[in-house]
Amino acid sequence: MCGRYAASRRPEDLVDLFGVDKWDPDFGTESLAPDWNVAPTKEVYAVLERPLKDAEDRRPVRQLRRLRWGLVPSWAKTPEGAARMINARSETVHEKPSFRRPFAARRCIVPADGYYEWVTGEGERELEEQGKRKRPRKQPYFVTPADGSVFAMAGLYEFWRDRTLPDDDPRAWWATCTVLTTEAEKGPLGVAPAQGPHSLAEIHPRMPLMLTPDLWDAWLDPGTTQVERLVPLLAPPPEGLMRAYPVTTAVSNVRNNGPELLTELEGPEEETLF
């Protein structure tokens, strides 16, 4: 799954990297601060293609937009379930009522440095099974492209209208997004830690769907709406592109934020983890 990630790149760098033509046209140009602990319901950057608001030319324009992480379907009565809609399974995204419409017409890329995932070591699990520990301690790992490139997460976005507010209220429209997930790769990591898991599947059975650069244009193209043409884009990336390493358990608290959260540890913080 993807429940927490890091996003420290400047918007100017994202504009260059993704060939963006318009940066945040509807919401101004105020930048989001680098965030090393992005949690659900936060505002995040996303790259998408759609016509500019109120423009006579209705051709799609590649934009960098700020979206709220946690998709609210357009037909929802309230936005209360957004925190539960942070992920969509790639295997069934074209079938689910909450996701099939944005999958057909409102796809985006959510840029990240990488994502965090928590793993419970064998020693901790044994203690839990024996009743000697009520709640096992979990070691966070940071998963990122081994070559240092951007982790381009496949996403969907949607618009939701708050009917309790007047049309001219800037809060009347919510722009939200979700991140697609796929089965975690079972092959060896491109760079594995000296201690701990040697594949992503050993950390968690799911992972965000990373789009390689050759797929960006096709994924963002709103003119492609046929499911049979979109499903091939959901294939997991080639194995061996990732590295994973243990990081401080401070990342488990969403109030903690800073580049020190990405510092690689020599090994898991708890000796019993592996």
Side-chain angles (χ1 to χ4, degrees), residues 22 66 109 121 178 180 184 191 240 252 255 267:
K22 189 69 174 178
R66 296 203 307 269
I109 292 175
T178 190
L180 272 67
V191 179
S252 301
R255 290 174 292 185

Side-chain angles (χ1 to χ4, degrees), residues 109-209:
I109 292 175
V110 181
D113 302 330
Y115 70 99
Y116 299 101
E117 195 56 80
W118 284 256
V119 61
T120 303
E122 293 180 5
E124 291 289 302
R125 284 197 295 267
E126 290 175 1
L127 289 175
E128 182 188 25
E129 292 169 359
Q130 296 168 11
K132 296 180 180 180
R133 188 181 300 281
K134 293 183 178 179
R135 184 178 181 183
R137 288 188 287 268
K138 293 188 177 184
Q139 172 63 48
Y141 279 77
F142 187 63
V143 182
T144 185
D147 63 0
S149 60
V150 66
F151 196 120
M153 300 188 293
L156 310 175
Y157 69 97
E158 186 58 282
F159 296 101
W160 180 78
R161 175 69 166 87
D162 187 345
R163 299 297 177 185
T164 66
L165 298 174
D167 291 341
D168 58 354
D169 192 312
R171 300 168 299 171
W173 283 97
W174 289 39
T176 63
C177 66
T178 190
V179 171
L180 272 67
T181 65
T182 188
E183 184 177 348
E185 55 189 55
K186 298 180 174 64
L189 289 161
V191 179
Q195 303 179 53
H198 293 278
S199 73
L200 293 182
E202 291 180 33
I203 299 175
H204 194 278
R206 306 289 296 178
M207 63 176 286
L209 176 61

Side-chain angles (χ1 to χ4, degrees), residues 34-270:
D35 195 336
W36 290 271
N37 201 353
V38 181
T41 72
K42 279 189 174 183
E43 276 200 318
V44 301
Y45 281 128
V47 179
L48 56 88
E49 290 187 6
R50 62 181 291 108
L52 295 178
K53 185 178 180 181
D54 300 326
E56 293 184 6
D57 189 342
R58 303 311 294 165
R59 285 178 296 184
V61 174
R62 186 164 297 186
Q63 308 171 34
L64 182 66
R65 297 282 292 267
R66 296 203 307 269
L67 307 178
R68 190 189 304 260
W69 187 21
L71 189 138
V72 180
S74 60
W75 42 261
K77 293 182 179 179
T78 70
E80 294 176 357
R84 298 191 299 272
M85 293 277 198
I86 61 171
N87 293 155
R89 294 176 66 93
S90 60
E91 297 88 348
T92 57
V93 66
H94 61 288
E95 302 171 344
K96 298 298 183 180
S98 296
F99 303 127
R100 60 191 178 199
R101 288 180 61 187
F103 175 63
R106 288 179 288 280
R107 298 176 299 278
C108 64
I109 292 175
V110 181
D113 302 330
Y115 70 99
Y116 299 101
E117 195 56 80
W118 284 256
V119 61
T120 303
E122 293 180 5
E124 291 289 302
R125 284 197 295 267
E126 290 175 1
L127 289 175
E128 182 188 25
E129 292 169 359
Q130 296 168 11
K132 296 180 180 180
R133 188 181 300 281
K134 293 183 178 179
R135 184 178 181 183
R137 288 188 287 268
K138 293 188 177 184
Q139 172 63 48
Y141 279 77
F142 187 63
V143 182
T144 185
D147 63 0
S149 60
V150 66
F151 196 120
M153 300 188 293
L156 310 175
Y157 69 97
E158 186 58 282
F159 296 101
W160 180 78
R161 175 69 166 87
D162 187 345
R163 299 297 177 185
T164 66
L165 298 174
D167 291 341
D168 58 354
D169 192 312
R171 300 168 299 171
W173 283 97
W174 289 39
T176 63
C177 66
T178 190
V179 171
L180 272 67
T181 65
T182 188
E183 184 177 348
E185 55 189 55
K186 298 180 174 64
L189 289 161
V191 179
Q195 303 179 53
H198 293 278
S199 73
L200 293 182
E202 291 180 33
I203 299 175
H204 194 278
R206 306 289 296 178
M207 63 176 286
L209 176 61
M210 187 183 82
L211 297 171
T212 50
D214 58 301
L215 299 178
W216 292 354
D217 289 348
W219 179 255
L220 293 175
D221 183 3
T224 303
T225 60
Q226 303 91 335
V227 170
E228 60 273 16
R229 293 181 59 188
L230 292 170
V231 167
L233 302 178
L234 300 174
E239 294 188 345
L241 299 181
M242 305 294 181
R243 67 179 297 234
Y245 59 85
V247 294
T248 174
T249 53
V251 74
S252 301
N253 188 330
V254 297
R255 290 174 292 185
N256 295 327
N257 208 316
E260 67 277 3
L261 297 180
L262 300 188
T263 300
E264 182 173 359
L265 304 181
E266 293 184 1
E269 288 189 327
E270 295 290 340

Side-chain angles (χ1 to χ4, degrees), residues 16-35:
D16 292 339
L17 180 62
F18 290 98
V20 169
D21 298 309
K22 189 69 174 178
W23 171 23
D24 223 359
D26 291 337
F27 301 106
T29 57
E30 182 180 352
S31 299
L32 294 175
D35 195 336

